[in-house]
Amino acid sequence: MKKKLYELAHCRAGDKGNTLILSLIPYKEQDYDVLCENVTPEAVKNHLKEIIKGDVIRYELPNISALQFVCYNALLGGVTTSLNIDTHGKSLSYALLELEIEI
Amino acid sequence: MLRIGSGAGFSGDRLEPAVILAERGKLDYLVLECLAERTIASAQKRKRQNPSHGYDALLDKRMELLLPVIKKNRVRLITNMGAANPIAAAERIVQIAQRQGISIKVAAVTGDDVLEHINLEEHSLEMDKPLSSYGEIISANAYLGADALLPALESGAEIIVTGRVADPSMFLAPMVYHYGWSLDDIDRMAQGTVIGHLLECAGQITGGYFADPGKKEVPHMAQLGFPFADVDSDGKAVISKLEGTGGLINLATAKEQLLYEVTDPTGYITPDVVVDFRSVRLREVGHNKVEVSNSSGRKKPSTLKVSIGYHAGFVGEGEISYAGPNALKRAKLAGEIIYERLKDHFTELRIDYIGSSSVHRTSFHHYSEPYEIRLRVAGKASTKEQAEQIGLEVEALYTNGPAGGGGARKYVNEVIGIISSLIPREKVKPHVTIRECRV
């Protein structure tokens, strides 16, 4: 069955320079393993290919049942010089949640 | 028990939540974090024009409201509203206190301004090119740590006003001072830093920036309460907010804030410690109460990060709306016209269709035709005059573009870019200046 991440998890986006940081936190802690299995760095990079031009690194935090994706070269230069209307990329949390996974 | 409140998460934050915290929060300390990366560079420019300026623009408003309350309730205030000029900020606070008939002692912490000490031929951390190649450098400020605030706390000052200090360090400093923790006690430094990190964005842990109707409901956001932490001598803390305020604190809000803007959860670097977030434990211990414990870390780095502001030219923008039948196609025709006229004059030009694909640069698989679309054109220029050309071209679509364009607006903004580098600790010398009045 296909499900959007939006149904399973929530996310907050942050920025440091040209790096986009996306957390992924399941509503139910038991869904953490499903997310680990399906939401690989490759899947995120492919889903956000219009946005992320560099590498994606995934950090696993089983202590709080959450994942963190650190996405390089993703913010058109970063908050201070980006021409994007959302210079921080703050709204991109919901771009990640558009990703569909098979569970 | 030590209670520290968080009364502002950015320079333009709401005013009254801090007043409510100071009024009935039984706080020992109130921290106001008001200094974004670019703010200090623009403040530096104001200071150059007038040596008594260069502090946070909302300093007067916040202090007028807070001074009587913190004095009455003996709450000590720590803030980075000094921006580019902490001493001028301290003098201004004393002036306001005098006018209100309040005796006050204010400590200004300086030493973060390292513009004279940086080597412009060094490469930036962001790109492999020298700092001098970016453009005219406006400011260079090192991130001070909790140690820089200790002499100010020891001075007995009721208000401590700083320039650039790492955000969590503003919260860690009163813990170190109050409990007499050693700065080499790595686990306590890590735990205090995590508490500071959770509090530094104020409302972002009490339900702000969290709500999503039907998925993540947050009560009474118009009266969002700001957070405080009760920290014990081992560093274990419970984060909560006042009864009767809006918002919520639970595991979900705490997790979102714990990971916010953390580029490496296995090694979060501050001037005080390198924290490993993989050991942090969060636990709901009551209604709107989350306990944080078990943070661990590694020794602090031998260098401090320096945030450098430079002139990055100007951005010109123009917008115009199209609505009704065929709106997207008419907007796209307008975008093509603008692109053809401007493409040879701007190295970086952006055409967005607001309502369709502007903020995410795609609309994934959502193809439904929107009823209305706003064309936005943005471009970078080295002069203000050239940047203005963008808005003028968009405005000229009124009489030269597709049918039915309306609501044209144009903007030009000066751009300050931010890059960073590292500086050896020993080159940075924090200093405390006292300003006070007795009435």
Side-chain angles (χ1 to χ4, degrees):
Chain A
M1 183 180 47
K2 281 201 163 194
K3 267 198 173 170
K4 265 190 190 179
L5 287 183
Y6 181 68
E7 293 175 57
L8 300 170
H10 54 107
C11 170
R12 179 171 291 180
D15 67 296
K16 275 279 178 310
N18 202 14
T19 305
L20 166 69
I21 303 145
L22 298 166
S23 57
L24 188 65
I25 304 159
Y27 285 103
K28 295 178 184 148
E29 294 200 337
Q30 60 265 32
D31 285 340
Y32 174 67
D33 292 338
V34 174
L35 296 183
C36 283
E37 204 175 302
N38 290 279
V39 192
T40 60
E42 296 75 29
V44 170
K45 166 112 189 185
N46 183 50
H47 172 63
L48 299 177
K49 58 181 176 289
E50 305 286 337
I51 294 157
I52 304 168
K53 302 303 172 191
D55 292 338
V56 174
I57 295 179
R58 185 179 87 170
Y59 294 93
E60 294 170 20
L61 292 115
N63 56 319
I64 55 164
S65 304
L67 293 172
Q68 179 92 314
F69 296 90
V70 179
C71 316
Y72 292 94
N73 196 3
L75 296 174
L76 301 173
V79 59
T80 57
T81 53
S82 164
L83 284 183
N84 195 290
I85 195 163
D86 174 13
T87 50
H88 295 88
K90 280 181 178 287
S91 69
L92 291 169
S93 45
Y94 282 80
L96 175 63
L97 297 178
E98 275 286 323
L99 176 63
E100 275 187 338
I101 57 171
E102 190 74 47
I103 57 169
Chain B
M1 197 65 84
L2 172 68
R3 181 171 284 188
I4 305 174
S6 174
F10 78 106
S11 69
D13 212 341
R14 287 180 186 168
L15 300 173
E16 83 282 356
V19 182
I20 293 168
L21 267 181
E23 185 67 63
R24 51 187 189 89
K26 298 188 172 66
L27 300 181
D28 297 299
Y29 291 87
L30 175 65
V31 179
L32 308 177
E33 196 291 288
C34 297
L35 196 54
E37 282 193 314
R38 263 184 306 180
T39 327
I40 207 156
S42 46
Q44 189 70 40
K45 290 179 71 178
R46 291 201 304 278
K47 183 184 170 186
R48 274 188 211 157
Q49 283 157 9
N50 184 335
S52 66
H53 288 189
Y55 50 80
D56 187 276
L58 284 177
L59 182 80
D60 284 23
K61 261 190 187 162
R62 291 195 195 276
M63 288 303 146
E64 279 162 13
L65 290 168
L66 283 169
L67 273 170
V69 190
I70 62 167
K71 189 71 189 178
K72 180 180 69 177
N73 292 338
R74 296 167 173 270
V75 179
R76 294 179 82 180
L77 183 77
I78 301 174
T79 180
N80 54 12
M81 274 191 285
N85 203 348
I87 294 173
E91 287 167 355
R92 183 68 190 152
I93 293 167
V94 167
Q95 269 180 13
I96 296 167
Q98 259 168 339
R99 203 169 62 216
Q100 293 182 329
I102 294 169
S103 299
I104 202 89
K105 182 173 180 180
V106 186
V109 178
T110 52
D112 60 309
D113 184 344
V114 293
L115 189 55
E116 288 175 7
H117 304 296
I118 55 161
N119 173 5
L120 294 177
E121 295 320 303
E122 262 181 43
H123 286 206
S124 72
L125 296 180
E126 286 78 11
M127 279 198 271
D128 195 20
K129 62 176 194 174
L131 299 170
S132 59
S133 67
Y134 283 86
E136 188 204 335
I137 304 285
I138 305 163
S139 63
N141 294 76
Y143 282 83
L144 303 180
D147 57 318
L149 272 63
L150 294 180
L153 286 161
E154 281 153 11
S155 77
E158 295 144 292
I159 298 179
I160 293 156
V161 58
T162 74
R164 176 59 68 207
V165 172
D167 296 350
S169 308
M170 291 202 289
F171 296 85
L172 176 60
M175 298 178 214
V176 170
Y177 172 72
H178 181 83
Y179 286 121
W181 290 347
S182 160
L183 292 168
D184 298 321
D185 184 337
I186 288 175
D187 287 347
R188 282 196 174 89
M189 293 306 107
Q191 178 64 19
T193 298
V194 167
I195 297 163
H197 173 69
L198 286 169
L199 293 176
E200 72 183 53
C201 295
Q204 278 202 171
I205 195 171
T206 56
Y209 210 60
F210 180 81
D212 186 349
K215 290 292 274 188
K216 298 189 287 179
E217 300 285 353
V218 178
H220 308 297
M221 293 181 72
Q223 286 84 38
L224 198 72
F226 279 8
F228 59 83
D230 287 316
V231 186
D232 75 16
S233 59
D234 290 328
K236 192 187 271 189
V238 173
I239 297 178
S240 54
K241 65 181 194 70
L242 291 174
E243 287 290 327
T245 60
L248 64 92
I249 302 183
N250 59 26
L251 274 182
T253 67
K255 286 178 185 179
E256 278 198 19
Q257 188 54 28
L258 183 70
L259 295 176
Y260 180 63
E261 288 186 342
V262 175
T263 45
D264 181 356
T266 70
Y268 176 72
I269 304 169
T270 79
D272 308 306
V273 67
V274 179
V275 186
D276 190 337
F277 283 55
R278 290 173 297 183
S279 62
V280 175
R281 280 197 207 118
L282 297 173
R283 197 162 66 99
E284 279 183 18
V285 291
H287 180 58
N288 286 324
K289 286 186 197 309
V290 169
E291 179 193 81
V292 52
S293 63
N294 208 47
S295 309
S296 61
R298 303 186 291 278
K299 196 173 175 301
K300 65 189 176 195
S302 61
T303 51
L304 295 176
K305 187 174 161 186
V306 181
S307 179
I308 298 163
Y310 67 96
H311 275 294
F314 297 83
V315 165
E317 289 172 273
E319 296 177 4
I320 189 166
S321 287
Y322 296 88
N326 222 17
L328 183 58
K329 284 203 176 129
R330 282 182 285 128
K332 288 202 162 157
L333 173 58
E336 285 158 18
I337 295 166
I338 294 284
Y339 184 73
E340 189 181 330
R341 288 181 61 84
L342 293 180
K343 68 178 187 322
D344 295 334
H345 306 285
F346 290 86
T347 48
E348 213 180 322
L349 194 63
R350 186 164 185 85
I351 310 233
D352 282 321
Y353 301 95
I354 299 175
S356 167
S357 58
S358 61
V359 287
H360 289 178
R361 297 171 241 166
T362 168
S363 51
F364 296 99
H365 306 295
H366 301 270
Y367 288 122
S368 64
E369 186 86 350
Y371 183 76
E372 62 174 58
I373 281 282
R374 190 158 176 82
L375 169 74
R376 169 185 179 263
V377 181
K380 273 188 209 163
S382 54
T383 65
K384 193 166 178 239
E385 290 66 32
Q386 199 199 348
E388 280 166 352
Q389 201 54 37
I390 301 210
L392 290 170
E393 280 292 341
V394 172
E395 195 176 48
L397 289 168
Y398 270 141
T399 53
N400 301 277
R409 295 282 187 282
K410 53 190 181 194
Y411 314 94
V412 171
N413 284 297
E414 190 178 357
V415 183
I416 293 170
I418 294 290
I419 43 177
S420 31
S421 94
L422 299 171
I423 192 168
R425 251 169 214 280
E426 55 277 10
K427 282 200 173 173
V428 181
K429 305 242 185 302
H431 185 74
V432 174
T433 307
I434 302 291
R435 293 288 183 267
E436 56 190 318
C437 66
R438 294 276 162 259
V439 292

